Amino acid sequence: MSRRFAVVIILAGFRLLLGADGDCLRYEPARVRLNGTLVSHQGLRGWWAVKPDNPICTIKEPSDPAAVAYSGVSEVQLILMGGQTDFDRYRLLLGRKVSVSGKLTPQVTAYHQTEVLILVDGIEAARAGSDAPTSAP
């Protein structure tokens, strides 16, 4: 067996032992950026969400029992702290590709419509080539 092949096998084994958390996102206080489409849901309680271009996953937070690991999350509800002002500011971006920055938080009440939510710091029109969710530096 070649030395190069042995190194590849060892690295793959470490990846399996440590889990696939490398691409998953952390809950608050970590800041993240999600790239996807901004959508609005109407009904008894209207709410907005971002549908990531690629489903996301989260890493379990041991200190918070609600912050469990999820995979395949295809929609993340927005929590806009600026109230109606924020809705008015971002309304023109509905249905468009956007980049949402903020902190992830888990679903904790019946008012939360998705398993994972984002406390929004800002929303901007997406730049070309920004199709994968990434943790912000």
Side-chain angles (χ1 to χ4, degrees):
M1 175 162 50
S2 76
R3 181 175 222 141
R4 177 179 275 169
F5 183 71
V7 169
V8 169
I9 295 297
I10 290 170
L11 290 175
F14 278 125
R15 174 100 172 145
L16 287 173
L17 284 174
L18 297 174
D21 289 347
D23 296 333
C24 294
L25 303 175
R26 294 195 174 278
Y27 289 103
E28 59 183 319
R31 296 198 180 282
V32 300
R33 180 172 300 277
L34 301 177
N35 299 308
T37 304
L38 185 63
V39 296
S40 173
H41 293 272
Q42 299 304 313
L44 181 60
R45 293 183 192 95
W47 54 284
W48 286 11
V50 61
K51 289 189 172 196
D53 293 330
N54 300 304
I56 66 165
C57 56
T58 59
I59 298 170
K60 177 178 174 39
E61 177 56 54
S63 64
D64 182 354
V68 299
Y70 288 106
S71 62
V73 177
S74 60
E75 189 166 31
V76 178
Q77 183 177 356
L78 306 183
I79 300 175
L80 296 167
M81 301 304 286
Q84 191 60 45
T85 302
D86 279 354
F87 286 101
D88 293 341
R89 178 182 318 147
Y90 300 127
R91 188 170 308 283
L92 293 176
L93 295 174
L94 283 171
R96 295 182 56 198
K97 295 285 187 180
V98 296
S99 180
V100 180
S101 60
K103 296 178 279 188
L104 297 180
T105 188
Q107 178 184 44
V108 293
T109 77
Y111 293 102
H112 296 162
Q113 303 298 312
T114 60
E115 298 166 329
V116 178
L117 298 85
I118 187 167
L119 297 159
V120 176
D121 290 333
I123 305 173
E124 56 188 39
R127 295 183 291 257
S130 59
D131 63 348
T134 57
S135 293

